Every structure is written in structure tokens, then in C-alpha cells.
């Protein structure tokens, strides 16, 4: 196996008796369904990023924050890097590259149960171009394979780095679902961060504005069941959030008005469903999640609007927050 740094427990001596505090940014990359969001949630300990078996659902930079005695690790979730076919695609790729150059460490997620494929190579090649940022290979979904398969995957990942001319800072197997080694992963990422005080107050788990998280929850509910027909052509904008007036203090109600934008009039029927049933279900489902997120009762008002070909139109993209 040579000089591979696969660890199952941290053996680093502590730097000195004087505890050093570190704080910095990490971002997880990997092809769709490589386990990035699940890992983010496991580390932060609360559902922040939106998990879905569909590329590009995490459109906005969601940051999860891991608070520890000795460190603060801020997770920046970049959109997936992919071969661009549209203006939106190119813009997303630019965001990805600038983010990678700015963070302190990049975690490349590769599922243990799938051999390294062209999608992984495409990302690894891009990573090789970003010289100064340390790269940690994170082997996810280890609970789905036996130890022989895992060992082969670890060797293949080590090779991939060598082929492209860079050295992984660490290669770490994790199973976020079984919570195995998630703490170990944090232990290995922390030393790669710069020394410094915490950058966010203790209570923050995500600095994502609530409106964007709410828009994500609605979008997620709207995509359920129609992914094949409308994979990416839904954008959600929360127009306003206002506390309902004349409510007693112990019975508040938050009014949320949101628009679901689709690209073509023909998609309207798919979203609304027969007699409006689908849209109603979307409303019920996302309202429950929004109430759980905000901890307050919500009245959700959803409207479906057509924004013609919004993915290709720079003006629309800006208006929809991209």
C-alpha cells in the first residue's frame, strides 16, 4: 500500500499544552449522489443541506457549521461541477472553481460501492489544477461494502491522485448514515484549518438566510414525484414573510408567499396536478418542514408562474437569485 495515509484513529500528538483554536472553511465535492449532503448533515448534526438523488438541487451555498472546543469548521456546499450545457451551467461551474480556490480544505466524496468513473475523474482533474488547497478523499457509504472492496477503492483513490500529480492530505473512509467515523473526519479536517478565533457565534448551524432554506424546502417538495418530467426546471422564490397581524402573542402565525417558476406553460399542469391536488400536497409537505425549521406555525401561499426559459436568460437568472 506504500505511504497511504488511511487512518482509523487520530494519533497526532497535541501541539502543546496551550490549546490552539482553528477556524476555517471546507467544501465537499463529488458527483451527484456521492453522499455530500448526508455527510454535511451528519457533521453538523441537523438537516441543513437538502438531500436528493438528483444533481444540482443544492443551488445555493448552504453553510453548515461544526462547533467544537478546539475549532470551528464551516462547510460550504458548492453546486455540482458538470459539463455545462447552458448559461446556468457555466455560471455554476465558475462559482465552483472560485469557491475551491478560496476554501481551506476540499473533501472529495467518492462512494465506496461504485468504481471510480469518468465523472469522478473529471472532478479530480479540476482539483489537480487547484494547487494550494489541501484535498482529502472521503470514501462514503462504507456500510454498503465488505472490507476487500473498501481496500480496493482506497488503493484506486490513492492511484488517482498519483496519476494526476497530487498527494491526498488524507484518505478517510466514513459511513455518515451509521455515524461511523464522522467525528474522525472532523478530527482530520481541523488540523488543515488556519489558526484563529471562531468566525460565527455558537448557536449558528447555518448562515443561509431563512428565505433561501424555505425556498429549497418548497422546491424539494415540488420536485418529489416529477423529477423525470421536470428535473431542473423549477425555481422557487420566497416573495415575502410577514407575521400575521392581530394575533395573540402566544399564537403567532407567519404568512409566507412564494412563487414556483417553471419554464413553459405546458409544465404548469404537471406541477398543479388534477384539480390542484399536487400543488396542495406540495404545500402541505413543505409547510410541515418549514414549521419544523422555524418553530412557528406557518400559512403558506404558493403560486405557479411561467418564467420563459429561465435557465438560459441572464436577466431571469439574476432575478431568481443565481
Amino acid at each position: 500500500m506504500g505511504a497511504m495515509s488511511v487512518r482509523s484513529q487520530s494519533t497526532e500528538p497535541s501541539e502543546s499544552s496551550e490549546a490552539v483554536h482553528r477556524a476555517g472553511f471546507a467544501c465537499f465535492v463529488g458527483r451527484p449522489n456521492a453522499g455530500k449532503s448526508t455527510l454535511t448533515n451528519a457533521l453538523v448534526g441537523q438537516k441543513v443541506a437538502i438531500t436528493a438523488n438528483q444533481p444540482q438541487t443544492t443551488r445555493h451555498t448552504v453553510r453548515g457549521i461544526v462547533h467544537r472546543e478546539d475549532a470551528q469548521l464551516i462547510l460550504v456546499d458548492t453546486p455540482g461541477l458538470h459539463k455545462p450545457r447552458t448559461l446556468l451551467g457555466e455560471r455554476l461551474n465558475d462559482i465552483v472553481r472560485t469557491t475551491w480556490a478560496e476554501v481551506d480544505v476540499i473533501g472529495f466524496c467518492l462512494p465506496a460501492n461504485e468504481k471510480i468513473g469518468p465523472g469522478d475523474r473529471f472532478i479530480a482533474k479540476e482539483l489537480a489544477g487547484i494547487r494550494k488547497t489541501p484535498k482529502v478523499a472521503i470514501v462514503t457509504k462504507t456500510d454498503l461494502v465488505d472490507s476487500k472492496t473498501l481496500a480496493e477503492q482506497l488503493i484506486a483513490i490513492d492511484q488517482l491522485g498519483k496519476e494526476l500529480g497530487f498527494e491526498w492530505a488524507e484518505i478517510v473512509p466514513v459511513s455518515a448514515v451509521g455515524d461511523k467515523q464522522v467525528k474522525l473526519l472532523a478530527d482530520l479536517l481541523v488540523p488543515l484549518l488556519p489558526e484563529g478565533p471562531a468566525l460565527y457565534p455558537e448557536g449558528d448551524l447555518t448562515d443561509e438566510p431563512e428565505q433561501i432554506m424555505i425556498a429549497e424546502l418548497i422546491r424539494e417538495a415540488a420536485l418529489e414525484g416529477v423529477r423525470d418530467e421536470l428535473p431542473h426546471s423549477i425555481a422557487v422564490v420566497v416573495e415575502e414573510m410577514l407575521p400575521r397581524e392581530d394575533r395573540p402573542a402566544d399564537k403567532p402565525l407567519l404568512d409566507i408567499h412564494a412563487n414556483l417558476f417553471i419554464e413553459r406553460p405546458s409544465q404548469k399542469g404537471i406541477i398543479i396536478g388534477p384539480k390542484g391536488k399536487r400543488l396542495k400536497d406540495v404545500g402541505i409537505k413543505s409547510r410541515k418542514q418549514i414549521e419544523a425549521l422555524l418553530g412557528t406555525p406557518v400559512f403558506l401561499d404558493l403560486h405557479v408562474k411561467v418564467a420563459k426559459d429561465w435557465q438560459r436568460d441572464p436577466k431571469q437568472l439574476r432575478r431568481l437569485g443565481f
Side-chain angles (χ1 to χ4, degrees):
M1 302 251 299
M4 271 177 67
S5 52
V6 177
R7 303 245 195 114
S8 28
Q9 70 188 61
S10 186
T11 50
E12 292 290 282
S14 59
E15 300 203 346
S16 67
S17 52
E18 199 48 40
V20 176
H21 189 279
R22 295 177 182 275
F25 295 84
C27 93
F28 293 145
V29 303
R31 56 193 163 75
N33 213 9
K36 301 184 292 285
S37 298
T38 311
L39 196 56
T40 302
N41 297 337
L43 278 164
V44 178
Q46 179 172 337
K47 187 172 173 180
V48 225
I50 306 296
T51 47
N53 300 340
Q54 189 67 22
Q56 278 174 260
T57 38
T58 326
R59 272 277 168 71
H60 295 273
T61 309
V62 177
R63 293 180 180 84
I65 302 170
V66 183
H67 296 279
R68 297 173 29 137
E69 291 281 288
D70 60 336
Q72 189 175 64
L73 175 66
I74 299 141
L75 305 173
V76 186
D77 211 7
T78 53
L81 187 78
H82 55 98
K83 298 200 167 76
R85 288 190 305 274
T86 60
L87 182 67
L88 173 64
E90 278 169 40
R91 196 166 294 180
L92 288 175
N93 282 358
D94 292 342
I95 295 172
V96 173
R97 288 191 192 92
T98 42
T99 306
W100 288 2
E102 287 164 4
V103 296
D104 300 299
V105 57
I106 299 168
F108 182 18
C109 297
L110 296 121
N113 61 336
E114 296 171 39
K115 284 208 170 9
I116 294 174
D120 300 315
R121 279 178 192 285
F122 177 71
I123 296 172
K125 251 200 204 84
E126 289 283 338
L127 285 179
I130 295 174
R131 285 263 170 251
K132 65 179 204 323
T133 315
K135 295 166 262 300
V136 173
I138 303 167
V139 190
T140 58
K141 309 188 183 189
T142 53
D143 47 317
L144 302 178
V145 298
D146 58 23
S147 52
K148 183 172 170 293
T149 313
L150 180 58
E152 285 166 4
Q153 186 72 323
L154 295 173
I155 292 165
I157 290 168
D158 189 44
Q159 280 307 115
L160 179 65
K162 288 199 173 77
E163 257 169 62
L164 295 169
F166 68 86
E167 184 78 39
W168 299 106
E170 303 277 357
I171 299 177
V172 197
V174 298
S175 158
V177 180
D179 217 28
K180 269 191 214 125
Q181 292 199 302
V182 171
K183 185 186 169 302
L184 163 72
L185 174 61
D187 291 344
L188 296 180
L189 293 175
V190 164
L192 300 169
L193 303 177
E195 290 180 22
L199 302 167
Y200 287 86
E202 177 67 63
D204 291 5
L205 287 169
T206 169
D207 79 341
E208 187 70 343
E210 284 172 346
Q211 260 152 294
I212 293 176
M213 289 182 78
I214 288 165
E216 276 288 353
L217 289 171
I218 297 169
R219 181 167 187 271
E220 185 61 14
L223 278 172
E224 203 107 316
V226 296
R227 290 187 192 286
D228 306 339
E229 298 153 276
L230 308 174
H232 307 308
S233 37
I234 300 177
V236 176
V237 176
V238 174
E239 295 291 338
E240 55 176 15
M241 292 168 52
L242 298 165
R244 176 84 55 95
E245 288 176 17
D246 319 323
R247 297 280 296 200
D250 57 340
K251 290 211 173 91
L253 183 67
L254 187 67
D255 283 317
I256 299 179
H257 301 278
N259 290 328
L260 276 104
F261 289 96
I262 48 182
E263 292 185 293
R264 291 183 288 285
S266 60
Q267 298 169 335
K268 218 167 171 170
I270 302 173
I271 286 284
I272 294 173
K275 294 203 172 128
K277 187 177 177 332
R278 264 212 87 247
L279 188 62
K280 206 167 160 185
D281 291 346
V282 169
I284 292 167
K285 184 166 186 224
S286 50
R287 193 190 77 232
K288 282 202 184 101
Q289 290 181 312
I290 294 165
E291 288 180 338
L293 174 77
L294 302 177
T296 174
V298 163
F299 173 80
L300 183 60
D301 178 36
L302 288 183
H303 292 273
V304 179
K305 302 198 166 179
V306 178
K308 217 167 125 18
D309 292 328
W310 62 264
Q311 296 203 355
R312 294 173 191 284
D313 174 353
K315 231 174 41 249
Q316 300 270 22
L317 281 172
R318 267 199 303 280
R319 192 167 75 88
L320 299 174
F322 296 110

